[in-house]
Amino acid sequence: MKLLRFGPKGQEKPGILDGDGQVRDLSGKVDELAGPGVSLEALEKIRGIDIDSLPVVSDPGRIGSPLAWVPNFFCVGLNYSKHAAETGADEPKEPILFNKTSSALCGPNDTVIIPRNSTKPDWEVELGVVIGKPCLYVSEDEALDYVAGYCTVNDVSERAFQTERGGQWTKGKSAPTFGPVGPWLVTADEVADPQKLDVSLKLNGEVMQKSNTSDMIFTVREIVSYMSQFMQLMPGDIIATGTPEGVGMGMNPQVWLKSGDVMEVSIEGLGDQRQDVANAD
């Protein structure tokens, strides 16, 4: 299934794509698509709905994040071999974990706002993993059984905030609109192998990132299992699993986002994003 939310910000309705790619309205059939609403149990109930009986939304308008909110927005740093190399860092021995604040979450085509005092805003296409049931102390062999689905994520970053202001990376990852997600939550049964997905990002029509999730240092199953040794992952949690080479920070000379730029973000089978860039008021 491909689940989504459509409508003006703050007024989104849940929807699902039918076999012809039309949006069908799930209003009244499901609770909000977030937390328990995207648990494996909830997804199974959605599968029991006769999709063809649902109203067709001929003009869905704005597409919001497929998740109305997230309990936690986790991220994995330096998780592609070539990306670690371009930043001059050694490949990590264990996954590097950090958070984006949940308030960074936004729709896949919403305008990305460069925050006040920003000097080094950057882009990062990433495979997003959404957890489907409470996950604690799971093995790598069973880790994917806890995944509800996958989505496209742009882990927008402010590198000066991240690396030059001390402390943890979170402050460089969490401005409003720094977490475009979607357009869809694609259920796990539609993704045969999360380690065989093409990922790409264009800036103003120029390809900046073009890779495949096979270049991940730590696989999805390794990440989920590893994280569950330290914390209990919950339904609706999202994990952005790292970005490939081609970020602005890794270029010579470095390139930073500016007002007027356009990002186009894509992951095979998970849908495309398009974000205009603007400065904060």
Side-chain angles (χ1 to χ4, degrees), residues 180-198:
V181 172
W184 315 309
L185 169 60
V186 180
T187 52
D189 56 296
E190 289 202 17
V191 180
D193 187 347
Q195 305 310 142
K196 293 183 178 179
L197 301 176
D198 290 333

Side-chain angles (χ1 to χ4, degrees), residues 240-252:
T241 56
T243 197
E245 77 278 8
V247 299
M249 179 177 63
M251 296 182 177
N252 186 16

Side-chain angles (χ1 to χ4, degrees), residues 2 28 32 43 46 54 66 72 79 81 87 108 112 116 137 144 155 157 168 191 201 208 230 232-233 240 246 258 271:
K2 292 182 174 68
E32 188 56 274
L43 295 179
I46 295 174
L54 299 174
N72 293 287
N79 194 35
S81 297
T87 65
V112 166
R116 295 178 183 179
Y137 304 130
L144 294 187
D155 176 21
S157 306
Q168 299 181 349
V191 180
L201 184 145
M208 311 302 279
F230 303 95
Q232 180 167 267
L233 304 173
K258 63 185 184 304

